[in-house]
Amino acid sequence: KTTETTIHNALIKYGSLLLLVGQMVGLVLVMRYSRTHISNGEMYLASTAVFMMEVMKFILCLGVVFYQLDLSPRALGDEIYNHVWASPNEMLKLCVPSFLYTVQNNLLYLALTNLDAATYQVLYQLKILTTAMFSATMLGRRISSTKWASLVVLTIGVAIVQMSGSSDSHNNDASGKEDRNRLVGLVAVLCAACTSGFSGVYFEKILKGSDVALWIRNIQMGLPSVIIALATVYIEDSREVYQKGFFVGYSPLVFCVVTVQAVGGLIVAVVVKYADNVLKVFATSFSIVFSCIISMFLFDFRPNLLFVGGACLVILSTVMYSKPEYPPLLGAIHHAEL
Ligand code: C5P
């Protein structure tokens, strides 16, 4: 029975990691493609896509709780009532990551409208740096000198990629607009890296501070996200929505972007539960290599030597950061405790 459980858990662990690599590569490519190729004469509104994604994620979470806890629809209603309506303090706490993730998801569209997929992927790795900093300050985790060294390598690698100026064919523009766009994309991705680090650590602190199940936590975070995402549509794009409709510019590809991002949020949750953040970071490294290669074919992305050098430093730093610091036996005990 225990062997069966071990095999079952290992299958979920490696299966979810494989899915995460596929999801990360797929998302960055379809999102970039959807922001650079207009299909119905109009570009879709990013804020509405984020809202649709939050709605889809919320429904999927409800489905998982329903299925996992084997509840009747009435019991599911009671569970939601207890954890949402009857827990205003908990809900208030979760509004923080909920708000930041919604901002982050909007920023990612802005970044991928203005930056090519490969540059975006490498720059977004800075979230390792922000995660480490917030883990040290908010969770009081000690960060070893190897880890700090790897973070310095990461920052240098990211700076080199930024200086390389490598871009795909959609950013080539002689009017100087390209530089301006690149700056907007750069600021967006840097802000997203900060919110990603903070929200990840904040969520982990809440998750480990009580025994409320992960999926219930996701529902508590998901509900404010849906409301905040709707408010963002109103604040940012209400005029366009009134004039052209909520689903202006939507094509099957846009629904595909929304679905891949929604499912991705849930895969992140499973990976953190069954594997750990270290393996998640490894998956990101793999996805950078894959998306660079695919970008060369799909977007005519031409990396120069500086880009390749910088990207190699970023991958090296990820591997350095993820190296376990304790001996294997102690490591096994540490994992068993988690
Ligand atoms: O890049 P990062 O790892 O910060 O991406 C997190 C993504 O996963 C965000 O889109 C966020 O909305 C989603 N997420 C989620 N539920 C969690 C944690 C993250 O939906 N518990």
Side-chain angles (χ1 to χ4, degrees):
K1 185 91 188 154
T2 32
T3 333
E4 231 174 70
T5 321
T6 317
I7 293 174
H8 177 253
N9 283 354
L11 269 180
I12 297 184
K13 178 174 161 180
Y14 292 107
S16 62
L17 276 166
L18 207 68
L19 275 178
L20 188 64
V21 174
Q23 186 270 341
M24 285 196 276
V25 176
L27 179 64
V28 69
L29 297 177
V30 287
M31 208 191 250
R32 173 68 176 164
Y33 192 87
S34 73
R35 296 310 276 173
T36 47
H37 294 75
I38 297 175
S39 62
N40 302 337
E42 293 272 2
M43 178 52 73
Y44 67 96
L45 303 168
S47 62
T48 62
V50 173
F51 171 74
M52 292 304 294
M53 188 272 285
E54 291 299 348
V55 171
M56 189 183 282
K57 213 163 57 180
F58 187 69
I59 295 171
L60 287 174
C61 274
L62 283 181
V64 173
V65 171
F66 184 65
Y67 172 79
Q68 257 198 345
L69 302 184
D70 206 9
L71 298 173
S72 65
R74 202 196 145 89
L76 179 67
D78 288 346
E79 191 78 3
I80 307 284
Y81 178 85
N82 286 340
H83 287 288
V84 175
W85 193 252
S87 312
N89 284 349
E90 295 295 295
M91 288 298 289
L92 215 59
K93 270 199 272 178
L94 280 152
C95 278
V96 177
S98 173
F99 172 74
L100 290 175
Y101 271 139
T102 313
V103 171
Q104 176 180 326
N105 290 330
N106 276 288
L107 282 173
L108 295 186
Y109 276 95
L110 188 62
L112 269 172
T113 308
N114 296 298
L115 280 180
D116 59 89
T119 307
Y120 157 89
Q121 279 278 49
V122 177
L123 295 181
Y124 196 33
Q125 279 302 87
L126 274 180
K127 69 182 173 186
I128 304 176
L129 181 68
T130 58
T131 306
M133 283 175 172
F134 286 117
S135 297
T137 50
M138 287 166 62
L139 299 175
R141 279 209 186 121
R142 208 186 67 81
I143 297 184
S144 68
S145 43
T146 320
K147 282 209 161 114
W148 282 121
S150 74
L151 294 174
V152 173
V153 175
L154 170 73
T155 315
I156 296 171
V158 167
I160 293 177
V161 166
Q162 173 50 25
M163 280 179 337
S164 78
S166 282
S167 185
D168 66 25
S169 55
H170 294 283
N171 273 4
N172 295 338
D173 183 335
S175 63
K177 227 172 103 191
E178 186 203 331
D179 284 344
R180 205 167 50 242
N181 288 354
R182 208 176 150 89
L183 187 68
V184 171
L186 177 73
V187 172
V189 80
L190 292 183
C191 291
C194 290
T195 57
S196 168
F198 178 83
S199 309
V201 173
Y202 187 100
F203 191 72
E204 188 181 340
K205 197 171 164 153
I206 289 185
L207 205 61
K208 293 189 174 157
S210 75
D211 52 9
V212 178
L214 171 72
W215 295 103
I216 297 285
R217 285 298 189 200
N218 264 346
I219 287 178
Q220 287 178 329
M221 192 163 78
L223 195 61
S225 292
V226 171
I227 298 165
I228 296 166
L230 190 62
T232 314
V233 175
Y234 183 76
I235 295 164
E236 284 209 338
D237 295 316
S238 55
R239 248 186 50 195
E240 297 236 46
V241 170
Y242 278 130
Q243 282 171 358
K244 299 174 186 164
F246 192 89
F247 292 109
V248 61
Y250 271 61
S251 62
L253 182 75
V254 180
F255 282 106
C256 175
V257 175
V258 168
T259 312
V260 173
Q261 204 185 10
V263 172
L266 303 182
I267 300 176
V268 166
V270 175
V271 164
V272 170
K273 186 168 155 67
Y274 285 91
D276 49 41
N277 275 305
V278 172
L279 286 168
K280 185 186 151 203
V281 174
F282 264 121
T284 320
S285 259
F286 275 118
S287 73
I288 292 180
V289 179
F290 284 133
S291 43
C292 280
I293 295 171
I294 300 175
S295 287
M296 289 201 270
F297 295 103
L298 211 61
F299 301 120
D300 203 17
F301 175 68
R302 295 269 164 267
N304 55 24
L305 215 62
L306 268 181
F307 183 96
V308 174
C312 285
L313 281 184
V314 171
I315 292 167
L316 173 77
S317 75
T318 313
V319 175
M320 264 169 82
Y321 186 84
S322 314
K323 233 174 114 197
E325 280 153 21
Y326 29 78
L329 185 62
L330 270 179
I333 294 169
H334 178 72
H335 273 278
E337 278 172 358
L338 284 179

Coordinates of all heavy atoms in Angstrom, one line a residue, residues 20 23-24 27 53-54 57 61 97-98 100-102 104-105 108 120 124 127 131 192-193 195-200 203 207 214-215 217-218 221-222 225 261-270 272 277 280 284, ligand 1:
L20 N 4.0 21.6 -16.0 CA 4.4 23.0 -15.8 C 5.4 23.5 -16.9 O 5.2 24.6 -17.4 CB 5.1 23.1 -14.4 CG 5.3 24.5 -14.0 CD1 4.0 25.3 -13.8 CD2 6.1 24.6 -12.7
Q23 N 3.3 24.0 -19.9 CA 2.5 25.1 -19.7 C 3.2 26.4 -19.9 O 2.8 27.3 -20.5 CB 1.8 25.0 -18.4 CG 0.7 26.0 -18.1 CD 1.2 27.3 -17.5 OE1 2.3 27.3 -16.9 NE2 0.5 28.4 -17.6
M24 N 4.4 26.5 -19.3 CA 5.2 27.8 -19.3 C 5.6 28.1 -20.7 O 5.5 29.2 -21.1 CB 6.4 27.7 -18.4 CG 5.9 27.8 -16.9 SD 7.3 28.2 -15.8 CE 7.9 26.6 -15.5
L27 N 2.4 28.9 -22.7 CA 1.7 30.2 -22.4 C 2.5 31.4 -23.0 O 1.9 32.2 -23.6 CB 1.7 30.4 -20.9 CG 1.1 31.7 -20.4 CD1 -0.4 31.8 -20.9 CD2 1.1 31.9 -18.9
M53 N -9.9 34.5 -17.2 CA -8.9 33.5 -16.6 C -9.3 33.3 -15.1 O -9.3 32.1 -14.7 CB -7.5 34.0 -16.8 CG -6.4 33.1 -16.5 SD -6.0 33.1 -14.7 CE -5.1 34.6 -14.7
E54 N -9.5 34.4 -14.4 CA -9.8 34.2 -13.0 C -11.1 33.5 -12.8 O -11.2 32.6 -11.9 CB -9.9 35.6 -12.3 CG -8.6 36.4 -12.2 CD -7.5 35.6 -11.3 OE1 -7.9 34.6 -10.7 OE2 -6.4 36.0 -11.4
K57 N -10.4 29.8 -13.5 CA -9.7 29.2 -12.4 C -10.6 28.9 -11.2 O -10.5 27.9 -10.5 CB -8.5 30.2 -12.0 CG -7.3 29.5 -11.5 CD -6.1 30.4 -11.6 CE -6.3 31.6 -10.7 NZ -5.1 32.5 -10.8
C61 N -11.3 25.4 -9.5 CA -11.0 25.1 -8.0 C -12.2 24.5 -7.3 O -12.1 23.6 -6.6 CB -10.7 26.4 -7.3 SG -9.0 26.9 -7.4
P97 N -2.6 38.9 -1.7 CA -2.0 38.3 -2.9 C -3.0 38.3 -4.1 O -2.6 38.3 -5.2 CB -1.7 36.8 -2.4 CG -2.6 36.6 -1.2 CD -2.7 38.0 -0.6
S98 N -4.3 38.2 -3.7 CA -5.3 38.2 -4.8 C -5.2 39.5 -5.6 O -5.1 39.4 -6.9 CB -6.6 38.2 -4.1 OG -7.6 38.3 -5.0
L100 N -2.5 41.5 -5.8 CA -1.2 41.6 -6.5 C -1.1 40.6 -7.7 O -0.5 40.9 -8.7 CB -0.1 41.2 -5.5 CG 0.1 42.4 -4.4 CD1 1.1 41.9 -3.4 CD2 0.6 43.6 -5.1
Y101 N -1.7 39.4 -7.5 CA -1.7 38.4 -8.7 C -2.5 39.0 -9.8 O -2.1 38.8 -11.0 CB -2.2 37.1 -8.3 CG -1.2 36.1 -7.7 CD1 -1.4 35.3 -6.6 CD2 0.1 36.0 -8.3 CE1 -0.5 34.4 -6.1 CE2 1.0 35.1 -7.8 CZ 0.7 34.4 -6.7 OH 1.7 33.5 -6.2
T102 N -3.6 39.7 -9.5 CA -4.4 40.3 -10.7 C -3.6 41.3 -11.4 O -3.5 41.4 -12.6 CB -5.7 40.8 -10.1 OG1 -6.3 39.9 -9.3 CG2 -6.7 41.1 -11.3
Q104 N -0.3 41.5 -11.4 CA 0.7 40.7 -12.1 C 0.3 40.1 -13.4 O 1.0 40.2 -14.4 CB 1.2 39.6 -11.2 CG 2.3 38.7 -11.7 CD 2.7 37.7 -10.7 OE1 2.7 37.9 -9.5 NE2 3.0 36.5 -11.2
N105 N -0.9 39.5 -13.4 CA -1.4 38.9 -14.6 C -1.7 39.9 -15.7 O -1.5 39.7 -16.9 CB -2.6 38.1 -14.3 CG -2.3 36.8 -13.5 OD1 -1.2 36.3 -13.6 ND2 -3.2 36.4 -12.6
L108 N 1.8 41.0 -17.1 CA 2.4 40.0 -18.0 C 1.9 40.2 -19.5 O 2.7 40.1 -20.4 CB 2.1 38.6 -17.6 CG 2.8 38.3 -16.2 CD1 2.6 36.8 -15.9 CD2 4.2 38.6 -16.2
Y120 N 11.6 38.1 -22.4 CA 10.6 38.1 -21.3 C 10.9 37.0 -20.4 O 11.0 37.2 -19.1 CB 9.2 38.1 -21.9 CG 8.1 37.5 -21.0 CD1 7.5 38.4 -20.1 CD2 7.9 36.2 -20.9 CE1 6.5 37.9 -19.2 CE2 6.9 35.7 -20.0 CZ 6.3 36.5 -19.2 OH 5.3 36.0 -18.3
Y124 N 12.1 37.5 -16.5 CA 11.1 37.1 -15.5 C 11.7 36.2 -14.4 O 11.2 36.1 -13.3 CB 9.9 36.5 -16.2 CG 8.7 36.4 -15.3 CD1 8.4 37.3 -14.3 CD2 7.8 35.3 -15.4 CE1 7.3 37.2 -13.5 CE2 6.6 35.2 -14.6 CZ 6.4 36.2 -13.6 OH 5.3 36.1 -12.8
K127 N 12.4 36.8 -10.6 CA 11.5 36.5 -9.5 C 12.2 35.6 -8.5 O 11.8 35.5 -7.3 CB 10.2 35.9 -10.0 CG 10.2 34.5 -10.6 CD 8.8 34.2 -11.0 CE 8.9 32.9 -11.8 NZ 7.6 32.5 -12.4
T131 N 11.9 36.4 -4.7 CA 11.4 35.4 -3.8 C 12.4 35.2 -2.6 O 12.0 35.0 -1.5 CB 11.2 34.0 -4.5 OG1 10.4 34.3 -5.7 CG2 10.6 33.0 -3.7
A192 N 6.3 42.7 -12.3 CA 5.7 41.4 -12.2 C 6.6 40.5 -11.3 O 6.1 39.7 -10.5 CB 5.4 40.8 -13.5
A193 N 7.9 40.6 -11.5 CA 8.8 39.7 -10.8 C 8.7 40.1 -9.3 O 8.8 39.2 -8.4 CB 10.3 39.9 -11.3
T195 N 6.0 41.4 -7.7 CA 4.7 40.9 -7.1 C 4.7 39.4 -7.0 O 4.2 38.8 -6.1 CB 3.5 41.4 -8.0 OG1 3.7 40.9 -9.3 CG2 3.3 42.9 -8.0
S196 N 5.4 38.7 -8.0 CA 5.4 37.3 -7.9 C 6.1 36.8 -6.7 O 5.7 35.9 -6.0 CB 6.1 36.7 -9.2 OG 6.4 35.4 -9.1
G197 N 7.3 37.4 -6.4 CA 8.1 37.0 -5.2 C 7.3 37.3 -3.9 O 7.2 36.4 -3.1
F198 N 6.7 38.5 -3.8 CA 6.0 38.8 -2.6 C 4.7 37.9 -2.4 O 4.6 37.3 -1.3 CB 5.6 40.3 -2.6 CG 4.8 40.7 -1.4 CD1 5.4 41.0 -0.2 CD2 3.4 40.7 -1.4 CE1 4.7 41.4 0.9 CE2 2.7 41.0 -0.3 CZ 3.3 41.4 0.9
S199 N 3.9 37.8 -3.5 CA 2.7 37.0 -3.3 C 3.0 35.5 -3.0 O 2.3 34.9 -2.2 CB 1.9 37.1 -4.6 OG 1.7 38.4 -5.0
G200 N 4.0 35.0 -3.7 CA 4.4 33.6 -3.5 C 4.7 33.3 -2.0 O 4.2 32.4 -1.4
F203 N 1.6 33.9 0.3 CA 0.7 32.8 0.2 C 1.3 31.6 1.0 O 0.5 30.9 1.7 CB 0.5 32.4 -1.3 CG -0.7 31.4 -1.5 CD1 -2.0 31.8 -1.3 CD2 -0.4 30.1 -1.8 CE1 -3.0 30.9 -1.5 CE2 -1.5 29.2 -2.0 CZ -2.8 29.6 -1.8
L207 N -0.5 29.6 4.0 CA -0.7 28.2 3.8 C -0.1 27.4 5.0 O -0.7 26.4 5.5 CB -0.1 27.7 2.5 CG -0.7 26.5 1.8 CD1 -2.2 26.8 1.5 CD2 0.1 26.2 0.5
L214 N -5.2 23.5 0.7 CA -4.7 24.3 -0.4 C -5.8 24.8 -1.3 O -5.9 26.0 -1.7 CB -3.7 23.5 -1.2 CG -3.2 24.1 -2.5 CD1 -2.3 25.3 -2.2 CD2 -2.5 23.1 -3.3
W215 N -6.8 23.9 -1.7 CA -7.8 24.3 -2.6 C -8.8 25.3 -2.1 O -9.3 26.1 -2.8 CB -8.5 23.0 -3.2 CG -7.5 22.2 -4.0 CD1 -6.8 21.1 -3.6 CD2 -6.9 22.6 -5.2 NE1 -5.9 20.7 -4.5 CE2 -6.0 21.6 -5.6 CE3 -7.1 23.6 -6.2 CZ2 -5.2 21.6 -6.7 CZ3 -6.4 23.6 -7.3 CH2 -5.5 22.6 -7.6
R217 N -7.9 27.5 0.2 CA -7.2 28.7 0.1 C -7.3 29.3 -1.2 O -7.4 30.6 -1.4 CB -5.7 28.5 0.5 CG -5.4 28.2 2.0 CD -5.8 29.4 2.8 NE -5.4 29.3 4.2 CZ -6.0 30.1 5.1 NH1 -6.9 30.9 4.9 NH2 -5.5 30.0 6.4
N218 N -7.2 28.5 -2.3 CA -7.3 29.0 -3.7 C -8.6 29.6 -3.9 O -8.7 30.6 -4.7 CB -7.0 27.9 -4.7 CG -5.5 27.9 -5.1 OD1 -4.8 28.9 -4.9 ND2 -5.1 26.9 -5.7
M221 N -8.8 32.9 -2.3 CA -8.0 33.9 -3.0 C -8.7 34.2 -4.4 O -8.6 35.3 -4.9 CB -6.6 33.4 -3.3 CG -5.7 34.5 -3.8 SD -4.0 34.0 -3.6 CE -3.8 32.9 -4.9
G222 N -9.4 33.2 -4.9 CA -10.0 33.3 -6.2 C -11.1 34.3 -6.3 O -11.3 35.0 -7.2
S225 N -10.1 37.8 -6.4 CA -9.4 38.0 -7.7 C -10.5 38.3 -8.8 O -10.2 39.2 -9.7 CB -8.7 36.8 -8.1 OG -7.6 36.6 -7.3
Q261 N -3.4 29.8 -19.2 CA -3.0 30.5 -18.0 C -3.8 30.1 -16.7 O -3.2 29.9 -15.7 CB -3.2 32.0 -18.2 CG -2.3 32.8 -17.3 CD -2.4 34.3 -17.3 OE1 -3.4 34.8 -17.9 NE2 -1.5 35.0 -16.7
A262 N -5.1 29.8 -16.9 CA -5.9 29.3 -15.8 C -5.4 28.0 -15.3 O -5.1 27.8 -14.1 CB -7.3 29.2 -16.2
V263 N -5.2 27.1 -16.2 CA -4.7 25.7 -15.8 C -3.3 25.9 -15.2 O -3.0 25.2 -14.2 CB -4.7 24.8 -17.0 CG1 -4.0 23.5 -16.7 CG2 -6.1 24.5 -17.5
G264 N -2.5 26.8 -15.7 CA -1.1 27.0 -15.2 C -1.2 27.4 -13.7 O -0.4 26.9 -12.9
G265 N -2.1 28.3 -13.3 CA -2.2 28.7 -11.9 C -2.4 27.5 -11.0 O -1.8 27.4 -9.9
L266 N -3.2 26.6 -11.5 CA -3.5 25.4 -10.7 C -2.4 24.4 -10.7 O -2.1 23.8 -9.7 CB -4.8 24.7 -11.2 CG -6.0 25.7 -11.2 CD1 -7.3 25.0 -11.7 CD2 -6.3 26.3 -9.8
I267 N -1.6 24.3 -11.8 CA -0.5 23.4 -11.8 C 0.6 24.0 -10.8 O 1.2 23.2 -10.1 CB 0.2 23.3 -13.2 CG1 -0.8 22.8 -14.2 CG2 1.4 22.4 -13.2 CD1 -0.3 22.7 -15.7
V268 N 0.7 25.3 -10.8 CA 1.7 25.9 -9.8 C 1.3 25.4 -8.4 O 2.2 25.0 -7.6 CB 1.7 27.4 -9.9 CG1 2.4 28.1 -8.7 CG2 2.3 27.9 -11.2
A269 N 0.0 25.5 -8.1 CA -0.4 25.1 -6.8 C 0.0 23.6 -6.5 O 0.5 23.2 -5.4 CB -1.9 25.3 -6.6
V270 N -0.3 22.7 -7.5 CA 0.0 21.3 -7.3 C 1.5 21.0 -7.1 O 2.0 20.3 -6.3 CB -0.6 20.5 -8.5 CG1 -0.2 19.0 -8.4 CG2 -2.1 20.6 -8.5
V272 N 3.8 23.1 -6.0 CA 4.3 23.5 -4.7 C 3.9 22.5 -3.6 O 4.6 22.3 -2.7 CB 3.7 24.9 -4.4 CG1 4.0 25.3 -2.9 CG2 4.4 26.0 -5.3
N277 N 9.4 24.4 -4.4 CA 9.8 25.6 -5.2 C 11.1 25.4 -6.0 O 11.2 26.0 -7.1 CB 9.9 26.8 -4.3 CG 8.5 27.4 -4.1 OD1 7.8 27.7 -5.1 ND2 8.1 27.5 -2.9
K280 N 10.3 23.7 -9.1 CA 9.6 24.6 -9.9 C 10.5 25.5 -10.7 O 10.3 25.8 -11.9 CB 8.6 25.5 -9.0 CG 7.7 26.4 -9.8 CD 6.9 27.3 -8.8 CE 6.6 28.5 -9.6 NZ 6.3 29.6 -8.7
T284 N 11.3 26.1 -14.8 CA 11.4 27.3 -15.5 C 12.6 27.4 -16.4 O 12.6 27.9 -17.5 CB 11.4 28.5 -14.5 OG1 10.5 28.2 -13.4 CG2 11.0 29.8 -15.1
Ligands
C5P1 O1 5.1 33.4 -12.0 P1 4.4 32.9 -10.8 O2 4.9 31.7 -10.2 O3 4.3 34.1 -9.7 O4 2.9 32.7 -11.3 C1 1.9 32.5 -10.5 C2 0.6 32.4 -11.3 O5 -0.1 31.4 -10.7 C3 -0.3 33.6 -11.3 O6 -0.9 33.7 -12.6 C4 -1.3 33.4 -10.2 O7 -2.5 34.0 -10.6 C5 -1.3 31.8 -10.2 N1 -1.5 31.2 -8.9 C6 -2.7 30.7 -8.5 N2 -2.9 30.1 -7.3 C7 -1.8 30.1 -6.4 C8 -0.6 30.6 -6.8 C9 -0.4 31.2 -8.0 O8 -3.6 30.7 -9.3 N3 -2.0 29.5 -5.2

